[in-house]
Amino acid sequence: YKTSVVKDAPITLKNENIFMGWYTTPDFSGEAVAFPYTLTEPTVLYAKWEERSDIPYIVEHYKQSEDFVTYTLAASEALQGSTGSLTQAKSKNYSGYHYKNFEQKQVAADGSTVIRIYYDIDSFMVIFNSNDGTNNTYNQVFFYNQSQKLITNRFTRSGYTFEGWATEINGDVKYKDSESVKFTLQNNTSK
């Protein structure tokens, strides 16, 4: 029988994977083959591959503009993952904003994956209570950090003159009728 010697390891490539060596078994048990390698019989060598875990992808965070139509890039993050695995994008906490649902994507081998997360301005309801006047209550929607005039008083109460709005029953007046206010939501105060 003949003996052959393979001087150098065959060169092989697999997109975005790391070559870990040549093995004589398909389950990669034992040691990797060292070269030069002596063959004494027909032999199959198996290439062992490991997925790269350093494939770049981008996560972009967009906050809704005051026009409530467009979005502005607020932050961009460069992350890494394995080819074909799902991204690990996470939303941020922006005061006065909430994120819209988004889906993770598979990490593309060429590093072209981009996840875009959009954040809308928070809104909340202010309830105006008549405090024993007519019509009981009415509501007005406000948006985080947006100047807006309070609705003009629509209530009447026999024997009383409207002086303004308080934040508790029989409390001191905090806002004048139709006053422009800006709510920040963080501590439910206005500016």
Side-chain angles (χ1 to χ4, degrees):
Y1 74 155
K2 288 186 172 185
T3 300
S4 297
V5 175
V6 180
K7 286 182 164 187
D8 298 311
I11 296 173
T12 185
L13 300 172
K14 185 176 179 183
N15 286 346
E16 304 304 330
N17 285 268
I18 300 169
F19 178 68
M20 301 304 291
W22 292 102
Y23 289 79
T24 57
T25 59
D27 65 355
F28 311 114
S29 58
E31 297 285 322
V33 171
F35 291 91
Y37 181 67
T38 302
L39 298 169
T40 58
E41 61 186 3
T43 304
V44 174
L45 296 179
Y46 298 90
K48 182 177 180 181
W49 298 100
E50 187 175 286
E51 282 189 344
R52 283 183 52 189
S53 60
D54 63 346
I55 304 298
Y57 64 92
I58 302 294
V59 179
E60 296 176 340
H61 302 269
Y62 290 88
K63 290 169 66 177
Q64 187 176 42
S65 301
E66 290 183 10
D67 65 7
F68 297 101
V69 176
T70 59
Y71 291 82
T72 303
L73 181 65
S76 182
E77 300 172 289
L79 300 176
Q80 295 179 338
S82 299
T83 305
S85 68
L86 288 179
T87 56
Q88 298 295 311
K90 293 180 182 170
S91 61
K92 292 184 173 290
N93 289 323
Y94 291 116
S95 182
Y97 292 81
H98 61 277
Y99 72 90
K100 296 168 79 170
N101 287 337
F102 64 95
E103 291 185 16
Q104 304 291 350
K105 295 181 182 178
Q106 284 192 335
V107 177
D110 63 1
S112 64
T113 305
V114 177
I115 301 292
R116 292 177 181 89
I117 303 175
Y118 294 91
Y119 301 80
D120 282 350
I121 297 172
D122 286 339
S123 64
F124 57 98
M125 186 79 62
V126 172
I127 300 170
F128 296 84
N129 186 306
S130 70
N131 199 13
D132 294 328
T134 59
N135 298 328
N136 293 334
T137 64
Y138 57 88
N139 307 324
Q140 183 179 2
V141 175
F142 284 84
F143 293 92
Y144 171 78
N145 208 28
Q146 304 290 313
S147 290
Q148 187 172 336
K149 284 188 174 188
L150 296 170
I151 294 175
T152 303
N153 176 36
R154 299 177 189 165
F155 301 125
T156 58
R157 185 172 175 188
S158 182
Y160 289 84
T161 302
F162 179 76
E163 293 181 6
W165 299 107
T167 55
E168 53 189 55
I169 293 176
N170 300 321
D172 293 334
V173 171
K174 289 201 172 200
Y175 307 105
K176 296 176 185 170
D177 199 22
S178 303
E179 179 179 345
S180 184
V181 296
K182 184 188 288 189
F183 291 102
T184 61
L185 294 181
Q186 294 159 322
N187 53 13
N188 291 326
T189 61
S190 67
K191 293 181 179 177

